Amino acid sequence: MQRLNYAAPKTVNEAVSLLAGASGPAKLMSGGTDLLVQLRSGRLKPELIVDLKHVPGLIGIREEAGGFVIGASTPGATLEAHAGLKAAWPGVVEAMDLIGSEQIQGRASLAGNLCNASPAADSVPAMIAAGAVAVVVGAKGRREVPVEAIPTAPGRTSLAKDEFILEIRLPPRPAHSGDAYLRFIPRTEMDIAVVGCGVNVTLDAAGVCTAARVVLGAVAPTAVLVPAAAAALIGHKLDAATLAKLDAAAQAACKPITDKRGTIEYRTKVAGVMARRTAAIAFERAQGRAVKGH
Amino acid sequence: MNYIVPQSELKIVGTRPVRPDGVDKVTGRATFGADMTLPGMIWGKVKRSPHAHARIVSIDASKALALPGVKAVVTAADFPEIANEEAFVGEGPMNFRDLSRNCMARDKALYEGHAVAAVAATSQAIADEAIELIDVRYEVLPHVIDVEAAMAPGAPVLHEDMFTTGVEPKPAKPSNIAKRVSFTKGDVAAGFAEADVIVEGRYTTQPVHQAYIEPHACVAAVSADGQAQIYSSTQGQFMVRAYSAKVLGWEIANLRSYPMEIGGGFGGKTVVYLEPLALLLAQKSGRPVKMMMTREDVFRASGPTSGAVIEVKIGAKRDGAIVAAREVLKYQAGAFAGSPIGPGCMCGLALYDLPNVEVIGYDVVSNRPKVAAYRAPGAPITSFAIESALDELACKLNIDPLALREMNGARDGTKTHYGVTHKDIGFLSVLEAARSHPHYKAPLQPGQGRGIACGFWFNIGGESSGAVHVNEDGSVSVVSGNPDIGGSRASMAMMAAEVLGVPMDQVRPIVGDTASIGFSFLTGGSRVTFATGMAVTQAAEKVVDQLKTRAAQIWDIPVDAVEWKDGKAWPAGLNAGAFEPLSVAQIALKAGRTGGPIGSEVSLNAQGAGAGFGCHICDVEVDKETGHVKILRYTAIQDVGKAIHPAYVEGQIQGGAAQGIGWALNEEYIYDKNGKLENAGFLDYRVPVASDLPLIEAVMVEVPNPRHPFGVRGVGEVPIVPPMAAVANAVRSATGLRMEHLPISPPKLRAAVDAEAKAG
Amino acid sequence: MSKHHVTTTINGEAVEFLCETQETLLDVLRNTLNLTGSKEGCASGDCGACTVIMDGKMVCSCLVLGVEAEGSSVTTVEGIADGETLHPVQRKFLEHAALQCGFCTPGFIVATKALLDANPNPTEEEARYWLAGNLCRCTGYDKIIRAVMDAAAEMRGEARAA
């Protein structure tokens, strides 16, 4: 039987050289909440697990230049407990918080959720809507990549064999801006999103939208940024006509599949519903009102 | 004796003491099946069929056996062939040939996950590797999953020797319909001719799993002389002993079966899966063997209950009096015959006093795991259909749904369509309690709806043993033969303490293994507090008689001059003499000199289990855009006879209601086109989580069962019967939509909303 | 060396063990250390029966590798009571009959303790969402939630909640 090795590097360089030098398939581990399930099911058969949690900077949150830098392996519970991050990016924090149970929150991370590359990953649409950037390190050095460029297909990423995400950067918040994330699941907790939606908007003083990013999850092989949905919002307040256009644009962007968690028809309709409801929360927040998300 | 007295006259029964096994369970000390370890123990694993239906061409285990650490491999060839004959066990039929073939596939694999071989090895990792090395060649056969597809002419036939019983003439060709049953009362055609209003519907339910949180687990050990021990998580240690012995062809006396703590069963642990395999692996390897199912194994290979198709037709006069009912039920049995079609045919209409009834049922096999008992087996399915149809009838007649049930409800003397006449039942009292409950009148907001539905279960008695022993220090041991699945040790101790007149903490209840207590039928059918409680009560009474006799000896007075009161022997009146009362401890101290140990074991076959009725009230809010149903408020009213420990009775009612809500809204089996289960895990088999539910109010109506010393009726099964229709009727009230197909999942409800909008 | 040598702290005691990479913390607790209070209900993080507190965070021990316990501090259900004195959460579960079969109970006890450590005054809704990762099939959660709310009230020094 092929032996499974484990390494817990203490520096970025050590981690990179372990990955670069691995003779067989290697898997990165942050919280391990997806990895261990996949190991057990036999879906993944790596020869090496590289546990990144001991690399300096991989766990923790700091404010920098008006934005936030989140260590790639920082567990969700730590994001949830960070008042400043929660105030600035409630949508991102809530999206992360929706993943699994409180127990999962003790381990699961933004980068793990991103690199697992599930089309239904909750934090990903929220991060993309926020304009988050992943700082990637590898044998060739360091590069900054928009989060949406990391997952390429279900279970696949654009990272090279020797690369991993060091941190996630969230930009500074302009005035009158707000974000939100909602997902639909059959229960109230513990499910995988049937549809997820992240919305990030900036308004002018009169409440008219000047910038927007709308992202849908679980309706295509990867999370999809929907410019047409953003266009439906920009230049408008959130009136009934705008909501109807947003709904239609969201539905038009869907390329879902029918699977055990939902049909094409259902996912498409609910994508419109989620877009409207998420936008409503984001607009409220942009106008300075604290609104409960999910 | 009879203790059916006002609560004020009872000291222990009817109170809420801490359960005797509680501390072990909140500290992690309680030992469940998988927690058992024996010296020298090795690990057993099962190789399962990846195909829904396949002929097993060959099995080559040579590579597995050559792997270092592998100690034994077993396949069907290691088990004896068993004759195809049906026995009746407890609540249902049991065919030991089928049981054997379900434990280990012979000739054909009949569902994905069907066991085809098992190995024992020195570590779990080696056992897993060995499983991969067993080479099984299959000839894949066409498969069939759904019940009506399995009944259709030309469907792939699972069993070449299955000829439908109950039809004349006997069919010439085999089919997947194991049997047809029917019940008639009166003349339905004439009844429908009299009806002013008729409702008809075709309802479907999905199979749902008991979903106990503890996967099946056991440890087996066999010594060189053939004496064997089996430690398992089961609803019946005697069942494990008998079934394992039967499947293995061993003598019952050579098997000693130990019940471990059981992590939920709900009917699903009333059969064996792993135990015969573990015993055979232990025998072959000469080592104790532990086996555990994974959660995926539990879903793929242990019993859910049936999914079904039910056609209902009910006719009534304009005032609501029902004049005729007709029901056709098609129940999935899984890969082997034996769905709960019998109770399915009986229970739905047993609640009502109906002049004309016709019920026809079919027991149908298909390439799914064999169904196992699940809480009131068969009744929730039929009641979903009947109680939904009654709601439609109430809507059509513009009658209050509770009034419709009050008008037609069964009462003492009502003769059911299956021939039994109801006696000492509390259905009308339950309906009265529902009507007077504030929930029934509470206002609703727009978008919300309220539904009610009722349910019935027979409850059973049966063979039970209970022993009461007074220890040397006056403490009392109570031994029963029934695994404690929801607090029965507490109720056994409470009944014994009440009879003895001693405090609850003086009584220590345990569940005995098969060699330390007399035969007891398994924990099921809501029978333990009734039947085993009866045995324990009688044993305690015999102990009281002995204690009185011993006191009489100590005092040297006639025994009828001794009376037993407040846990002590007292001289009965002035003529008996002046003696200080003697406590149990004082009498126990002198037991050696007054005739030896004090104790009694009673084995009986308890008759006269009282039937149970419930009525549930459910409020929902429907999100019509997503199809999501939120349960806002839930009240479950039930006739419980007499609640020995009311908190655990409430717990049964609340737990049953929660399971029913899961059945109503989200639980289902999803198969792909190859007949493989796609949601074999708790992620996508969606049982309710804490945030899905409101508090569930349990209302206990106590109409004592006169055939039990304390008035007990079974309580554990009735509460799962009404919820599916209660939820569906509430959705109907909120949206105007009749959801005839379970589960009422968001996509289905949204589709119904859209279809209605389209229809305008 | 074929196995990892792990030094850790469990329930306040220094512990050493050997494990393979693929062995989870739950495997190690149950099969190597004989701490069988943590239960395996799913091995996929969906049922919560294996909940432990690791370095102050509540986790499913089935989703932690044993080797990751190196240098950490783990509290299991066996470490919740103070010797023979039950923790208030344990006592309230008993008083409210908040268990039937008892298999999910260890996970609920640990998760409830973690909840009340983090939030001494949860609403019923907060308690339900916090405990959504702990499945119970017996009770319908009613009595569990009552026990949690009552334990919280007692630990805050308030009179018994209704």
Side-chain angles (χ1 to χ4, degrees):
Chain A
M1 191 164 53
Q2 182 57 51
R3 207 181 126 66
L4 176 61
N5 289 310
Y6 168 89
K10 298 278 195 308
T11 66
V12 169
N13 286 345
E14 196 189 333
V16 169
S17 44
L18 274 165
L19 291 170
S23 55
K27 282 304 287 186
L28 293 162
M29 177 162 83
S30 283
T33 52
D34 286 313
L35 177 65
L36 263 67
V37 174
Q38 290 162 7
L39 282 179
R40 186 176 158 275
S41 73
R43 189 137 48 95
L44 286 181
K45 293 190 171 153
E47 288 177 18
L48 173 66
I49 289 174
V50 179
D51 182 353
L52 293 172
K53 291 192 289 295
H54 300 274
V55 174
L58 267 279
I59 291 184
I61 301 168
R62 63 180 196 274
E63 287 190 62
E64 206 175 279
F68 288 87
V69 181
I70 303 164
S73 299
T74 309
T78 304
L79 271 66
E80 174 71 20
H82 195 287
L85 179 67
K86 218 171 157 177
W89 293 102
V92 173
V93 175
E94 284 169 1
M96 182 66 216
D97 186 49
L98 282 172
I99 301 168
S101 59
E102 286 297 326
Q103 287 89 331
I104 300 297
Q105 288 296 308
R107 299 265 294 167
S109 63
L110 286 176
N113 197 224
L114 182 61
C115 293
N116 186 53
S118 159
D122 285 305
S123 73
V124 176
M127 283 197 283
I128 297 174
V133 167
V135 177
V136 176
V137 290
K140 288 185 191 143
R142 171 188 170 111
R143 60 191 178 107
E144 297 201 358
V145 187
V147 157
E148 54 267 41
I150 300 286
T152 55
R156 289 169 181 272
T157 71
S158 58
L159 298 178
K161 180 192 168 196
D162 57 9
E163 285 186 316
F164 63 91
I165 296 176
L166 185 66
E167 57 200 26
I168 302 283
R169 289 173 167 261
L170 292 169
R173 262 270 175 236
H176 305 301
S177 63
D179 75 329
Y181 174 82
L182 289 179
R183 65 172 184 188
F184 180 76
I185 55 170
R187 291 183 290 189
T188 53
E189 264 283 12
M190 302 303 290
D191 289 334
I192 304 292
V194 178
V195 175
C197 181
V199 174
N200 182 25
V201 294
T202 305
L203 312 181
D204 65 16
V208 175
C209 182
T210 58
R213 281 164 77 84
V214 178
V215 185
L216 292 170
V219 296
T222 60
V224 280
L225 184 63
V226 190
L233 294 174
I234 293 168
H236 299 279
K237 291 190 175 184
L238 206 57
D239 51 27
T242 304
L243 284 169
K245 280 185 199 149
L246 172 67
D247 185 322
Q251 292 201 45
C254 292
K255 291 187 240 11
I257 54 167
T258 288
D259 68 4
K260 62 189 173 186
R261 293 175 187 142
T263 60
I264 291 172
E265 193 189 12
Y266 180 73
R267 283 195 152 112
T268 305
K269 284 175 181 167
V270 172
V273 176
M274 289 294 114
R276 279 190 276 115
R277 294 181 182 182
T278 314
I281 298 170
F283 270 66
E284 287 288 303
R285 286 175 173 163
Q287 291 169 88
R289 288 189 279 274
V291 190
K292 196 169 175 288
H294 55 91
Chain B
M1 261 187 77
N2 182 312
Y3 307 87
I4 301 176
V5 294
Q7 181 60 45
S8 58
E9 294 174 33
L10 296 169
K11 290 203 172 67
I12 292 168
V13 163
T15 67
R16 301 176 179 231
V18 164
R19 60 195 283 168
D21 55 314
V23 171
D24 279 357
K25 288 189 168 160
V26 297
T27 55
R29 276 197 294 250
T31 310
F32 292 82
D35 301 336
M36 185 67 190
T37 298
L38 289 175
M41 190 182 82
I42 59 174
W43 299 84
K45 300 259 180 182
V46 176
K47 187 174 182 75
R48 299 184 180 278
S49 168
H51 305 295
H53 193 192
R55 196 169 305 287
I56 299 169
V57 177
S58 65
I59 302 179
D60 178 358
S62 56
K63 282 187 197 144
L65 282 163
L67 186 70
V70 172
K71 300 297 178 189
V73 174
V74 298
T75 67
D78 297 286
F79 291 85
E81 285 257 25
I82 293 176
N84 181 18
E85 56 191 19
E86 199 164 274
F88 193 85
V89 184
E91 285 186 289
M94 169 55 70
N95 180 314
F96 286 104
R97 183 190 70 155
D98 290 350
L99 176 70
S100 167
R101 289 175 178 220
N102 195 38
C103 289
M104 187 60 82
R106 188 180 286 272
D107 308 329
K108 284 212 293 189
L110 294 166
Y111 52 94
E112 185 220 8
H114 199 167
V116 294
V119 310
T122 50
S123 77
Q124 296 196 72
I126 295 171
D128 282 330
E129 199 180 347
I131 286 297
E132 297 298 314
L133 291 174
I134 298 174
D135 183 17
V136 183
R137 298 280 162 85
Y138 297 97
E139 177 198 342
V140 177
L141 302 170
H143 69 277
V144 63
I145 294 291
D146 289 325
V147 62
E148 287 184 328
M151 294 172 80
V157 170
L158 273 70
H159 305 280
E160 291 299 331
D161 58 353
M162 182 173 282
F163 297 87
T164 310
T165 62
V167 291
E168 288 297 333
K170 189 189 167 192
K173 284 194 344 201
S175 76
N176 295 319
I177 305 171
K179 71 176 173 188
R180 178 187 185 276
V181 288
S182 64
F183 299 90
T184 53
K185 177 185 173 186
D187 180 342
V188 274
F192 282 118
E194 270 180 58
D196 296 321
V197 172
I198 289 174
V199 291
E200 285 185 87
R202 180 177 175 278
Y203 297 86
T204 62
T205 71
Q206 292 297 311
V208 291
H209 200 277
Q210 299 82 350
Y212 29 80
I213 311 299
E214 180 204 26
H216 299 260
C218 66
V219 177
V222 183
S223 64
D225 65 357
Q227 299 284 317
Q229 293 87 43
I230 178 89
Y231 303 80
S232 64
S233 164
T234 177
Q235 290 177 241
Q237 64 273 47
F238 290 91
M239 175 281 294
V240 167
R241 185 179 70 163
Y243 287 15
S244 299
K246 194 88 182 179
V247 167
L248 295 165
W250 294 2
E251 251 181 55
I252 283 180
N254 279 340
L255 249 173
R256 186 167 178 185
S257 170
Y258 295 81
M260 306 301 289
E261 294 293 344
I262 171 172
F266 317 111
K269 292 176 183 166
T270 57
V271 287
V272 292
Y273 298 101
L274 299 176
E275 289 88 345
L277 279 54
L279 284 161
L280 204 51
L281 286 168
Q283 187 188 47
K284 268 191 134 177
S285 66
R287 302 272 291 267
V289 174
K290 181 188 285 197
M291 298 187 83
M292 305 181 304
M293 281 198 192
T294 64
R295 176 54 52 186
E296 292 74 21
D297 292 344
V298 171
F299 279 115
R300 289 208 165 88
S302 73
T305 192
S306 307
V309 175
I310 306 131
E311 289 150 22
V312 182
K313 182 177 176 186
I314 298 177
K317 304 298 276 185
R318 216 167 299 285
D319 67 357
I322 298 171
V323 288
R326 185 169 193 278
E327 190 182 13
V328 178
L329 308 98
K330 301 160 186 169
Y331 275 27
Q332 296 165 1
F336 298 95
S339 73
I341 187 64
C345 288
M346 298 177 203
C347 291
L349 294 168
L351 293 82
Y352 303 104
D353 189 354
L354 308 173
N356 305 298
V357 178
E358 182 180 27
V359 180
I360 297 164
Y362 297 93
D363 182 27
V364 183
V365 299
S366 66
N367 296 111
R368 295 170 174 269
K370 165 77 169 77
V371 300
Y374 182 20
R375 231 171 174 157
I381 301 166
T382 180
S383 281
F384 166 63
I386 296 295
E387 296 291 311
S388 294
L390 288 178
D391 198 62
E392 278 299 290
L393 183 61
C395 289
K396 226 169 173 174
L397 292 166
N398 199 22
I399 292 180
D400 169 55
L402 203 46
L404 180 67
R405 287 161 174 93
E406 285 163 343
M407 179 184 295
N408 294 288
R411 52 210 77 205
D412 285 352
T414 297
K415 190 168 186 209
T416 62
H417 60 285
Y418 52 92
V420 169
T421 300
H422 286 305
K423 213 165 101 183
D424 306 309
I425 61 169
F427 187 36
L428 296 182
S429 304
V430 165
L431 294 176
E432 196 183 313
R435 180 166 292 290
S436 59
H437 195 283
H439 184 174
Y440 197 62
K441 296 173 212 68
L444 289 167
Q445 304 302 316
Q448 300 178 349
R450 175 169 300 145
I452 66 148
C454 298
F456 160 84
W457 184 247
F458 316 96
N459 299 319
I460 64 169
E463 294 161 286
S464 275
S465 300
V468 176
H469 296 285
V470 176
N471 302 316
E472 302 92 297
D473 59 358
S475 64
V476 178
S477 300
V478 172
V479 189
S480 80
N482 284 103
D484 176 356
I485 205 161
S488 64
R489 267 168 294 195
S491 55
M492 295 306 123
M494 290 170 77
M495 286 185 269
E498 188 74 49
V499 172
L500 293 168
V502 301
M504 169 82 171
D505 60 10
Q506 198 173 326
V507 179
R508 175 55 50 176
I510 65 157
V511 181
D513 67 75
T514 53
S516 50
I517 184 74
F519 179 86
S520 299
F521 180 64
L522 52 75
T523 296
S526 301
R527 63 177 289 278
V528 174
T529 309
F530 173 74
T532 310
M534 194 184 281
V536 166
T537 301
Q538 290 184 13
E541 287 170 343
K542 291 188 176 187
V543 166
V544 168
D545 289 344
Q546 291 176 35
L547 289 163
K548 283 162 68 179
T549 305
R550 304 304 176 89
Q553 275 179 263
I554 293 167
W555 289 333
D556 196 20
I557 62 175
V559 67
D560 52 10
V562 178
E563 64 176 16
W564 191 259
K565 202 175 67 188
D566 299 333
K568 288 177 176 150
W570 304 73
L574 294 174
N575 292 342
F579 301 103
E580 286 299 306
L582 288 171
S583 69
V584 177
Q586 287 167 317
I587 297 170
L589 199 62
K590 295 186 176 157
R593 277 176 280 152
T594 56
I598 299 167
S600 173
E601 178 169 335
V602 170
S603 292
L604 48 71
N605 188 352
Q607 303 297 312
F613 291 83
C615 177
H616 292 195
I617 310 171
C618 173
D619 290 359
V620 300
E621 187 167 81
V622 177
D623 180 343
K624 288 175 88 167
E625 287 192 323
T626 62
H628 189 267
V629 176
K630 181 178 182 187
I631 307 291
L632 297 173
R633 184 173 179 181
Y634 203 96
T635 304
I637 300 140
Q638 188 174 323
D639 170 20
V640 303
K642 171 68 189 172
I644 300 296
H645 192 308
Y648 286 100
V649 172
E650 289 166 356
Q652 287 293 323
I653 295 172
Q654 292 161 336
Q659 290 182 353
I661 290 168
W663 196 335
L665 292 179
N666 280 309
E667 293 180 35
E668 62 182 319
Y669 273 45
I670 303 168
Y671 282 91
D672 72 8
K673 63 180 180 2
N674 297 316
K676 296 187 185 186
L677 185 60
E678 290 198 294
N679 60 332
F682 277 139
L683 183 61
D684 287 301
Y685 183 88
R686 301 185 186 94
V687 305
V689 300
S691 49
D692 291 338
L693 298 172
L695 292 172
I696 295 168
E697 186 180 348
V699 178
M700 296 177 287
V701 175
E702 292 192 325
V703 179
N705 172 12
R707 295 171 297 279
H708 182 276
F710 287 94
V712 162
R713 285 174 205 276
V715 297
E717 290 173 290
V718 172
I720 202 175
V721 182
M724 285 73 80
V727 172
N729 295 344
V731 168
R732 164 72 175 74
S733 151
T735 63
L737 298 167
R738 171 58 57 194
M739 299 303 290
E740 294 182 327
H741 308 296
L742 294 183
I744 307 171
S745 59
K748 225 180 267 171
L749 186 46
R750 168 76 204 237
V753 169
D754 291 344
E756 198 207 24
K758 208 178 225 173
Chain C
M1 194 186 73
S2 61
K3 286 188 173 187
H4 305 286
H5 176 230
V6 177
T7 306
T8 186
T9 303
I10 297 179
N11 299 328
E13 288 184 19
V15 172
E16 290 180 56
F17 59 83
L18 297 175
C19 70
E20 303 275 1
T21 301
Q22 66 271 16
E23 282 184 277
T24 64
L25 177 58
L26 178 63
D27 293 334
V28 170
L29 290 171
R30 291 182 53 79
N31 301 333
T32 308
L33 303 175
N34 279 318
L35 289 167
T36 54
S38 304
K39 304 300 180 193
E40 181 181 309
C42 69
S44 58
D46 295 306
C47 81
C50 66
T51 301
V52 301
I53 297 169
M54 186 173 178
D55 296 329
K57 291 203 162 61
M58 179 166 95
V59 300
C60 288
S61 59
C62 73
L63 293 185
V64 177
L65 294 177
V67 63
E68 287 184 82
E70 173 66 37
S72 70
S73 174
V74 175
T75 302
T76 71
V77 68
E78 289 93 343
I80 300 293
D82 178 10
E84 291 304 300
T85 308
L86 295 182
H87 187 279
V89 168
Q90 293 171 313
R91 200 156 29 75
K92 289 299 174 189
F93 267 63
L94 292 178
E95 286 174 14
H96 285 269
L99 57 145
Q100 284 174 32
C101 79
F103 190 80
C104 70
T105 309
F108 270 98
I109 295 288
V110 175
T112 302
K113 182 192 183 292
L115 165 66
L116 300 183
D117 287 347
N119 178 2
N121 194 8
T123 63
E124 184 196 320
E125 190 183 26
E126 284 169 343
R128 284 184 180 274
Y129 274 89
W130 182 280
L131 296 171
N134 290 82
L135 298 181
C136 170
R137 190 63 158 170
C138 292
T139 64
Y141 305 103
D142 183 289
K143 292 184 188 299
I144 291 175
I145 294 299
R146 290 174 198 271
V148 171
M149 301 308 284
D150 195 17
E154 184 186 291
M155 288 167 70
R156 289 193 307 270
E158 291 171 14
R160 184 191 161 90

